[in-house]
Amino acid sequence: MELPDGAPPEVSLPLPERGAELAPQAAAEGLVAGVVVSRSAGFYWVQLAGGQLRLCQLRGRLRAGDSVLVGDRVWVRPTPDGRGVIEQVGRRTSQLRRPPVANVSLAVAVMALAQPEPDLELLDRLLAAAQAAGLQAVVCWNKADLVPAEQARRLVELYRQAGYEALATSALTGFGVPELRQRLAGHISTLCGPSGVGKSALVNALCPDAGQATGEVSPRLGRGRHTTRTVRLLPLAGGGWVADTPGFSRLELAELAPRDLSRLMPDIARQARECRFGADCLHVAEPHCAVREAVSRGSLAESRYRSYRKLLRELQELEASRYG
């Protein structure tokens, strides 16, 4: 049988503690705990507890749909040919559909400070969607080498004041990369954002053995080409994994009720607690709304409020289409 290309590098990293949640009789049956780090054409590379990588296939009952995803904690039965069979899958703490990866705990929303120009509405959408998915979120302003330091500082501070962790990086020079790597330690994390912002270059900087292709920004379109084609977990030297994923710019909000949106934006949520209309207020047209008043006096960024209103309209339209 021909092996698929692109085996991930073999490393020795501790497995997440949640391996204990798998069937307790597994060890007695000769099964070994591991984490799925990539998959291709019905094959799964699994990093076992000792650091060894095994090329595995699924037990027949697991072959339906997406029963096994990159990021899943699994139990493997080693086979004499040096491969293995995935017999059991552990409970997932999270599951993203796009990209298809399990057990992510941290989302890094990446925006370029220039080339392409920042899209704050898209960034705010990604952050709200990460919150809705139960993920921690970090804002990463990449390409700091292309703009004055003061410009980077303003955008970092805008999102710190909104209630997020935020930092500036340059994948080209290495600026800020050690701080980002330290923040990702201990997590399965994913980088999200539009093409051309330097996600693959950041992955290369975070994981020097990744060897990912990087894409240039199209001068005509002002955005980049997708450069990553398959999902795989890449090990971080300080522990944890980065989910290197095909370029994507949207996390889903379709299941969210309009009235729930404000709680997913920490700066909106802070102001909403002072709103006289309580949970019934949508913060759009209500008189003496605390959120609207905060925008008027400058204690809530206008860009964040614009993003809120745009997302709210989208959710209201989705709700109307479901129940109309």
Side-chain angles (χ1 to χ4, degrees):
M1 186 184 304
E2 187 175 337
L3 302 185
D5 294 332
E10 186 167 313
V11 294
S12 180
L13 289 175
L15 293 173
E17 295 178 358
R18 297 184 189 278
E21 295 173 0
L22 297 168
Q25 72 276 15
E29 295 177 1
L31 306 185
V32 182
V35 173
V36 177
V37 296
S38 70
R39 66 174 185 170
S40 177
F43 291 90
Y44 298 76
W45 286 101
V46 178
Q47 182 183 315
L48 302 182
Q52 179 191 19
L53 283 165
R54 284 235 177 190
L55 186 65
C56 299
Q57 291 181 284
L58 301 181
R59 177 63 61 200
R61 57 187 168 77
L62 296 177
R63 291 176 184 167
D66 283 332
S67 60
V68 178
L69 297 176
V70 170
D72 271 326
R73 300 167 179 101
V74 297
W75 284 91
V76 171
R77 185 180 302 281
T79 55
D81 59 1
R83 303 183 190 179
V85 177
I86 296 174
E87 298 277 359
Q88 299 182 41
V89 183
R91 180 181 65 83
R92 290 172 181 162
T93 58
S94 67
Q95 178 180 342
L96 301 180
R97 284 183 282 183
R98 187 173 181 265
V101 58
N103 298 315
V104 170
S105 57
L106 180 66
V108 181
V110 183
M111 280 287 155
L113 289 158
Q115 299 181 18
E117 291 301 307
D119 184 341
L120 298 186
E121 288 185 352
L122 175 56
L123 174 57
D124 293 338
R125 178 192 179 90
L126 291 171
L127 293 170
Q131 182 83 8
L135 308 181
Q136 299 178 44
V138 173
V139 180
C140 176
W141 290 103
N142 195 32
K143 302 191 181 182
D145 53 292
L146 298 181
V147 300
E150 177 60 22
Q151 182 176 337
R153 188 195 67 78
R154 283 198 304 269
L155 284 169
V156 168
E157 285 304 312
L158 172 65
Y159 280 84
R160 285 180 177 172
Q161 290 173 13
Y164 299 100
E165 296 181 71
L167 72 165
T169 61
S170 170
L172 180 64
T173 68
F175 171 77
V177 172
E179 291 80 2
L180 180 59
R181 185 185 294 113
Q182 182 178 7
R183 180 61 184 88
L184 303 185
H187 291 274
I188 294 179
S189 54
T190 185
L191 276 59
C192 54
S195 296
V197 298
K199 297 191 299 295
S200 290
L202 274 174
V203 168
N204 288 343
L206 290 164
C207 311
D209 294 331
Q212 287 299 283
T214 56
E216 297 177 351
V217 175
S218 163
R220 182 174 65 84
L221 298 177
R223 59 179 184 265
R225 307 181 184 93
H226 295 321
T227 55
T228 307
R229 295 290 180 259
T230 58
V231 180
R232 60 177 183 161
L233 295 187
L234 299 174
L236 290 167
W241 287 267
V242 174
D244 185 37
T245 62
F248 72 105
S249 61
R250 296 172 73 87
L251 291 174
E252 296 181 2
L253 282 169
E255 310 250 330
L256 189 67
R259 293 188 184 280
D260 293 333
L261 177 61
S262 63
R263 67 176 174 80
L264 302 181
M265 303 179 75
D267 44 352
I268 304 283
R270 282 197 304 269
Q271 302 296 337
R273 285 194 287 269
E274 305 299 323
C275 188
R276 62 185 294 187
F277 300 100
D280 292 330
C281 189
L282 291 177
H283 318 299
V284 174
E286 299 86 344
H288 307 295
C289 169
V291 172
R292 296 173 64 204
E293 291 178 349
V295 177
S296 298
R297 65 175 178 264
S299 56
L300 177 61
E302 290 186 11
S303 64
R304 291 280 294 165
Y305 184 60
R306 283 196 301 270
S307 295
Y308 168 79
R309 293 192 62 164
K310 184 173 182 178
L311 286 171
L312 182 66
R313 286 195 299 272
E314 177 183 332
L315 293 174
Q316 288 172 324
E317 290 168 1
L318 285 169
E319 187 176 64
S321 68
R322 286 196 299 266
Y323 302 111

